[in-house]
Amino acid sequence: DSHEFLRFFMEGLHEDLNKGKKGKRKIEDPPAGLTDVELAEHRWKGYTSYDNSSIVDIFVGLLKSTLTCSVCDHKSVTFDPFWDLSLPLPRSRGSRLNL
């Protein structure tokens, strides 16, 4: 479908324009005690060291996920890169879909 084609096309352009490192990715653990903003910056620098193109600059973002332990209330925050997000489109009450 069109979404798959667009994703394929953007990844191809990215590969041709990529100025990042080649080879196996090394993911470094962030230092302890970082704020969410600092943690996001650390993750983004790590990601763009391997994936660095104008396509990434325009279309890629970071998704923040927070996991809280139900026993001890410890919170774990991660930031993961995304190329696209699937979002539901609400139907308005007066709209009709004709096929």
Side-chain angles (χ1 to χ4, degrees):
D1 71 333
S2 60
H3 174 256
E4 289 175 7
F5 173 75
L6 179 61
R7 179 74 189 257
F8 171 80
F9 181 72
M10 287 182 1
E11 286 178 2
L13 283 175
H14 164 68
E15 287 178 16
D16 290 344
L17 300 172
N18 191 8
K19 299 173 283 191
K21 297 177 192 174
K22 306 292 184 221
K24 188 175 179 182
R25 292 177 187 267
K26 297 176 186 172
I27 300 174
E28 297 178 18
D29 289 332
L34 296 180
T35 66
D36 285 358
V37 171
E38 293 168 333
L39 185 58
E41 288 173 352
H42 180 270
R43 181 66 171 115
W44 186 249
K45 285 179 185 175
Y47 181 77
T48 57
S49 67
Y50 288 91
D51 290 295
N52 185 3
S53 71
S54 55
I55 301 299
V56 168
D57 293 342
I58 296 168
F59 292 104
V60 178
L62 289 177
L63 181 65
K64 178 182 176 182
S65 299
T66 304
L67 183 65
T68 305
C69 177
S70 62
V71 176
C72 68
D73 285 334
H74 173 75
K75 289 186 181 181
S76 174
V77 177
T78 60
F79 290 89
D80 296 305
F82 67 89
W83 282 66
D84 52 45
L85 290 174
S86 297
L87 302 173
L89 296 175
R91 286 190 175 189
S92 63
R93 293 181 184 219
S95 69
R96 291 183 54 191
L97 180 61
N98 296 322
L99 298 178

